[in-house]
Amino acid sequence: MTGLLRVEALVKSFDGFQAINRVDLQIQAGILTSIIGPNGAGKTTLINLITGKINPDAGRVYLDNTEITRLPIHERIKKGISRSFQIGDIFPRLTVFQNIQLPVFARLGYAASPLASRERFLEANEEIEEIMHDVGLWDQKSQPAGALSHGDKRLLEIGMAIAPRPRLCFLDEPCAGMNPVEHRQVLDLIIRLAEERNLTFVIVEHDMDVVFSVSDRVVVMNKGEILADGTPDMIREHEGVREIYLGEEVLG
Ligand code: ADP
Ligand code: MG
């Protein structure tokens, strides 16, 4: 296992409220890490800090031992970090194909050069088609994204997240609002993409059965801190984790 990402003593406050309180974390390549924790624990804020949507008050973020703490989002994407687009980020009137085209063109630098050659457009098309096949949206490629079912919109989010060909990809609640069958399908997809694309995923997930069955590692956040970090078995037995999830029978 290789250390891919390292976060050191990260701090972020909003109007005096400390959302992230001296968080240290390492992410290893090739293992599926889940981040769990109650609402407001700081999971999304941590991902926002790592992916560059917001800047920390203190602390550092390293990718491959290179500091990226204050790098703009697009520079981080170039270095191999991406995150899921949220449903709100999808363009509802564009087709599935056109939505995936946006991050693929961005990766290939087409946004800056509209006069790209025919060969390069064909290359982009191939890539877009492969992604649509990979996430299971091929049959819907000409549908406006806004007409997709909730589950299919979430697949499109994943398609857009993998389009920049990241090495490390954060998915913030990729299964939110899905029924159990769709939920399982998305997790199977994530596991398959990780293998086929040599891609490391970090997911935020609420369903404990799912977390414990698919994750290699579980990071538990609470009140802006990392409360526990270990294998599913270790987390299941962790006293502090059991306390915050008390009353939920999920820990068995
Ligand atoms: P989680 O994803 O674990 O549910 P968040 O990271 O979204 O938690 O939020 C952590 C805390 O920080 C919450 O109390 C939330 O209200 C607060 N917070 C997050 N983003 C902002 C923001 N932009 N402005 C003010 N408070 C925020
Ligand atoms: Mg969140």
Side-chain angles (χ1 to χ4, degrees):
M1 282 186 297
T2 335
L4 189 56
L5 182 93
R6 189 168 86 250
V7 166
E8 283 178 7
L10 218 53
V11 173
K12 181 70 184 181
S13 296
F14 297 108
D15 303 321
F17 172 79
Q18 193 133 1
I20 295 291
N21 186 10
R22 292 190 64 82
V23 164
D24 295 312
L25 179 70
Q26 293 203 29
I27 299 295
Q28 280 86 33
I31 74 166
L32 180 59
T33 303
S34 295
I35 302 180
I36 67 169
N39 274 335
K43 305 179 297 292
T44 298
T45 304
L46 180 62
I47 292 177
N48 287 342
L49 290 166
I50 293 172
T51 54
K53 189 170 183 190
I54 55 177
N55 280 328
D57 302 329
R60 294 199 158 94
V61 183
Y62 297 88
L63 182 72
D64 304 317
N65 290 318
T66 305
E67 191 179 347
I68 59 162
T69 313
R70 284 168 203 283
L71 225 52
I73 296 178
H74 64 272
E75 293 290 338
R76 297 185 206 220
I77 292 174
K78 266 195 223 157
K79 286 184 178 294
I81 301 185
S82 79
R83 70 175 301 161
S84 51
F85 286 68
Q86 304 294 303
I87 284 179
D89 298 330
I90 289 175
F91 294 91
R93 296 165 84 164
L94 297 185
T95 64
V96 167
F97 183 95
Q98 289 166 330
N99 268 277
I100 294 176
Q101 194 175 42
L102 294 170
V104 169
F105 274 18
R107 185 182 81 74
L108 296 168
Y110 289 0
S113 74
L115 300 177
S117 70
R118 188 179 144 72
E119 289 75 42
R120 294 190 75 197
F121 270 110
L122 288 176
E123 182 195 332
N125 278 359
E126 241 171 61
E127 235 177 277
I128 298 161
E129 288 177 1
E130 192 184 320
I131 292 166
M132 289 189 302
H133 274 298
D134 273 1
V135 299
L137 287 178
W138 176 254
D139 292 340
Q140 323 242 47
K141 64 180 169 174
S142 307
Q143 285 281 330
L148 296 178
S149 70
H150 177 81
D152 286 343
K153 281 181 188 148
R154 311 240 47 161
L155 292 177
L156 179 56
E157 287 173 19
I158 296 176
M160 292 170 78
I162 62 169
R165 293 197 175 164
R167 289 175 291 146
L168 176 60
C169 182
F170 290 85
L171 302 177
D172 194 354
E173 305 194 28
C175 303
M178 289 189 165
N179 68 42
V181 175
E182 291 171 328
H183 200 143
R184 188 66 232 185
Q185 282 169 350
V186 169
L187 287 155
D188 289 343
L189 169 67
I190 290 169
I191 291 166
R192 181 165 57 76
L193 289 174
E195 269 179 29
E196 289 177 0
R197 290 177 171 255
N198 196 19
L199 171 48
T200 301
F201 283 104
V202 177
I203 63 172
V204 174
E205 172 58 55
H206 281 296
D207 185 317
M208 292 302 158
D209 287 337
V210 165
V211 166
F212 288 132
S213 68
V214 304
S215 314
D216 300 307
R217 174 191 180 197
V218 182
V219 174
V220 188
M221 292 191 70
N222 191 36
K223 297 183 178 163
E225 296 180 353
I226 291 180
L227 172 71
D229 182 350
T231 62
D233 282 346
M234 286 160 67
I235 298 303
R236 211 183 261 119
E237 300 304 321
H238 191 283
E239 208 44 50
V241 176
R242 296 181 79 96
E243 266 169 35
I244 63 167
Y245 285 101
L246 209 65
E248 298 183 29
E249 286 169 29
V250 290
L251 296 179

